[in-house]
């Protein structure tokens, strides 16, 4: 058996000239490991102009249980250049596709016609709408950030609004846009989305992320403070602690910072422990000391026991 790359080259040339003949040949051939891949080549060429014919062929020749993977492959193959035809196939009766496939197609459509893609969002089922909103937002922001931001604002309170905001904001971060802080204020995304955006920001530039977080509205700051503690503790530990102290409930403060400190210690143990030794906050110092003690108990229980045995006896012990 020839390898797939060679089969694909031959089928592609044939499908360009006569996709139906190529499809008939593959369908009549004996089963082989790359059969679905081979079927997808001529079906994709047909689907670029006639998705209805592809849907009819799939219903007639492929059992329903086996259609999803093949249809998804075809839809993805044609989405970049023929997103409308890809969408028609993905939404055809009795033609299942993998979750998020429709969202991917609308993202491709948004690259060419973002307003058309956005108008189709309300026609989708809820499960498809969330992934589609994020894909449209991301693709639209890549092309025209201000229009994408206005679209997100128009969605506020509707299904998919937070996912659309997430797509736009993460694309702005990817572009190193200077207006990401203002965009966060404008869109007022969920705590989860705010945290996701701040995490990515902090990975790219912790100093910028701290500045942006400090200037967010009060409602968004707890999520931002938590994300910075998780991602950028070691970059500016005192500033992270100050931001967390100002914005997190007392019940969350120590645990969030302890988790962030542990992540820092995994990457730079000497620096993290040296900083912990300078702490004057008794509550936070106690939490970090307990973490260190727990590590000793797990990794070297004999050392822990000998250390405890060496402690001076209390008055109650001596009596």
């Amino acid at each position: 058996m020839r390898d797939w790359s060679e089969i694909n080259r031959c089928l592609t040339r044939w499908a360009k000239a006569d996709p139906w003949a190529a499809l008939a040949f593959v369908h009549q051939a004996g089963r082989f490991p790359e059969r679905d891949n081979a079927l997808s080549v001529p079906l994709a060429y047909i689907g670029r102009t006639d998705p209805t014919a592809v849907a009819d062929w799939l219903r007639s020749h492929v059992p329903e249980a086996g259609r999803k993977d093949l249809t998804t492959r075809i839809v993805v193959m044609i989405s970049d250049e023929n997103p409308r035809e890809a969408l028609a196939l993905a939404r055809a009766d009795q033609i299942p596709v993998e979750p998020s496939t429709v969202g991917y197609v609308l993202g491709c459509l948004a690259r060419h016609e973002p307003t058309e893609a956005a108008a189709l969002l309300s026609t989708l089922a809820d499960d498809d709408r969330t992934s589609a909103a994020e894909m449209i937002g991301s693709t639209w922001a890549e092309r025209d950030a201000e229009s994408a931001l206005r679209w997100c604002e128009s969605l506020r309170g509707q299904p998919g609004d937070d996912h659309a905001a997430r797509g736009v904001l993460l694309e702005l971060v990817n572009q190193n846009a200077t207006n990401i802080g203002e965009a966060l204020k404008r869109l007022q995304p969920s705590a989860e989305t705010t945290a996701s955006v701040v995490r990515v920001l902090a990975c790219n530039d912790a100093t910028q992320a701290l500045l942006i977080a400090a200037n967010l509205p009060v409602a968004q700051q707890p999520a931002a403070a938590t994300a910075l503690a998780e991602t950028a503790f070691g970059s500016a530990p005192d500033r992270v602690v100050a931001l967390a102290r100002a914005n997190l409930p007392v019940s969350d403060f120590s645990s969030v910072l302890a988790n962030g400190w542990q992540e820092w210690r995994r990457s730079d143990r000497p620096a993290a422990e040296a900083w912990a030794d300078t702490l004057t906050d008794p509550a936070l110092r106690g939490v970090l000391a307990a973490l260190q003690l727990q590590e000793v108990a797990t990794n070297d229980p004999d050392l822990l026991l000998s250390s405890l045995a060496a402690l001076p006896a209390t008055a109650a012990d001596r009596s």
Side-chain angles (χ1 to χ4, degrees), residues 69 78 92 94 108 120-121 164 166 183 185 197 221-222 231 251 280 312:
D69 288 348
I78 68 176
Q94 300 177 324
C108 293
L120 287 167
L121 187 65
R166 178 186 176 91
K185 294 177 187 179
V197 173
Q221 290 209 7
T231 314
S251 57
T280 57

Side-chain angles (χ1 to χ4, degrees), residues 23-253:
L23 178 61
F25 173 80
V26 175
H27 179 59
Q28 293 165 11
R31 294 215 163 254
F32 58 97
E34 298 287 356
R35 188 170 187 270
D36 274 4
N37 283 338
L39 286 170
S40 70
V41 175
L43 284 169
Y45 275 96
I46 296 166
R48 291 181 189 281
T49 56
D50 194 350
T52 301
V54 173
D56 290 342
W57 190 93
L58 289 168
R59 284 189 288 261
S60 298
H61 297 89
V62 180
E64 187 168 358
R67 286 177 205 156
K68 181 184 287 187
D69 288 348
L70 178 56
T71 305
T72 301
R73 186 177 292 111
I74 297 164
V75 168
V76 170
M77 288 171 69
I78 68 176
S79 289
D80 282 344
E81 296 180 8
N82 304 91
R84 294 182 183 88
E85 289 75 14
L87 184 63
L89 178 56
R91 301 181 76 180
D93 290 339
Q94 300 177 324
I95 302 294
V97 292
E98 292 290 342
S100 80
T101 303
V102 172
Y104 174 78
V105 176
L106 286 184
C108 293
L109 179 59
R111 188 167 290 116
H112 307 283
E113 296 292 343
T115 54
E116 182 180 346
L120 287 167
L121 187 65
S122 63
T123 69
L124 303 182
D126 288 348
D127 288 347
D128 288 331
R129 192 177 303 181
T130 53
S131 62
E134 185 166 346
M135 287 294 299
I136 293 170
S138 176
T139 307
W140 200 342
E142 183 180 352
R143 169 180 171 156
D144 183 347
E146 180 56 33
S147 294
L149 286 165
R150 289 198 298 269
W151 171 64
C152 285
E153 289 175 311
S154 75
L155 288 179
R156 190 165 294 153
Q158 300 178 39
D161 61 343
D162 192 57
H163 286 78
R166 178 186 176 91
V168 171
L169 292 166
L170 288 176
E171 176 55 31
L172 291 177
V173 173
N174 187 53
Q175 295 174 8
N176 294 317
T178 58
N179 65 333
I180 183 64
E182 289 305 312
L184 274 163
K185 294 177 187 179
R186 280 177 65 176
L187 298 188
Q188 302 174 33
S190 68
E192 181 182 357
T193 292
T194 298
S196 295
V197 173
V198 173
R199 281 191 200 97
V200 179
L201 267 173
C203 289
N204 294 343
D205 186 338
T207 300
Q208 182 195 24
L210 280 160
L211 288 171
I212 288 172
N215 288 293
L216 288 176
V218 171
Q220 291 176 291
Q221 290 209 7
T226 301
L228 284 165
E230 295 170 348
T231 314
F233 203 126
S235 299
D238 293 331
R239 291 174 65 188
V240 169
V241 169
L243 188 67
R245 193 187 304 280
N247 291 285
L248 295 181
V250 174
S251 57
D252 296 340
F253 172 73

